[in-house]
Amino acid sequence: MLVPAKLLLSGVFPVMLLMGVAVAEGLNAPSYQAQGSDVSGRNFDGTNLSLANFSGSNATGSSFRNVQMDYANLSLANFSRADLTNATFKLALIEFTDFSEVKGLTAAQLSEACLTRPDKEEKLGVEGFDAASYRMPEGCQLWEHIARG
């Protein structure tokens, strides 16, 4: 049985100054915290999970169809048998993530993600993904100083 997930919204960020000019009054950004949690069998379809933290979580069998997981931390997570059809992973951290038997995950989706160890990822389960030709996108440096896993 799939259970709807609840998307939590973080607070408003303070005004940002760029060269002395205010560039934003405030910004609401989604922030879903599932770190180390069991979120297996849930329905996240169509949800914006950008900036989510799934590090160490169990999302086995969950549905993530048409979900934005841009800039999300997916390190050490178990997404086996999940449906990732049309999900986006722009600069998402994928490190020791289990994608075995997933549905809908493509090499094109992975090409936008930050795979820190593509040659060691034995559980990607993606047809057509070539770890030898994978090039980490610019911007993945954002994960260098972030605690993960």
Side-chain angles (χ1 to χ4, degrees):
M1 180 170 112
L2 295 176
V3 180
K6 186 175 183 180
L7 179 64
L8 304 176
L9 294 178
S10 68
V12 175
F13 290 97
V15 173
M16 298 172 20
L17 294 177
L18 180 61
M19 302 179 103
V21 178
V23 293
E25 292 286 324
L27 173 68
N28 283 326
S31 178
Y32 184 80
Q33 298 295 318
Q35 182 176 10
S37 299
D38 183 358
V39 293
S40 59
R42 295 199 185 173
N43 182 350
F44 292 93
D45 291 355
T47 306
N48 182 352
L49 293 174
S50 296
L51 303 173
N53 186 355
F54 280 91
S55 178
S57 68
N58 177 17
T60 302
S62 291
S63 184
F64 294 91
R65 295 174 69 86
N66 302 305
V67 168
Q68 291 175 313
M69 285 201 266
D70 304 335
Y71 311 100
N73 183 348
L74 309 180
S75 64
L76 301 169
N78 183 351
F79 283 85
S80 62
R81 297 187 308 280
D83 188 346
L84 300 171
T85 304
N86 296 322
T88 61
F89 297 98
K90 181 178 180 183
L91 301 180
L93 178 64
I94 296 176
E95 184 173 59
F96 303 112
T97 305
D98 186 349
F99 285 125
S100 57
E101 300 180 52
V102 296
K103 299 175 197 165
L105 184 60
T106 66
Q109 287 167 295
L110 288 177
S111 70
E112 294 187 333
C114 300
L115 288 97
T116 59
R117 303 172 168 280
D119 55 329
K120 306 265 190 240
E121 293 288 354
E122 299 169 356
K123 297 182 178 180
L124 283 175
V126 178
E127 188 174 329
F129 178 74
D130 180 14
S133 65
Y134 169 78
R135 298 292 174 257
M136 193 176 291
E138 288 187 37
C140 288
Q141 301 88 335
L142 71 97
W143 294 108
E144 289 178 3
H145 303 290
I146 304 292
R148 55 192 194 257

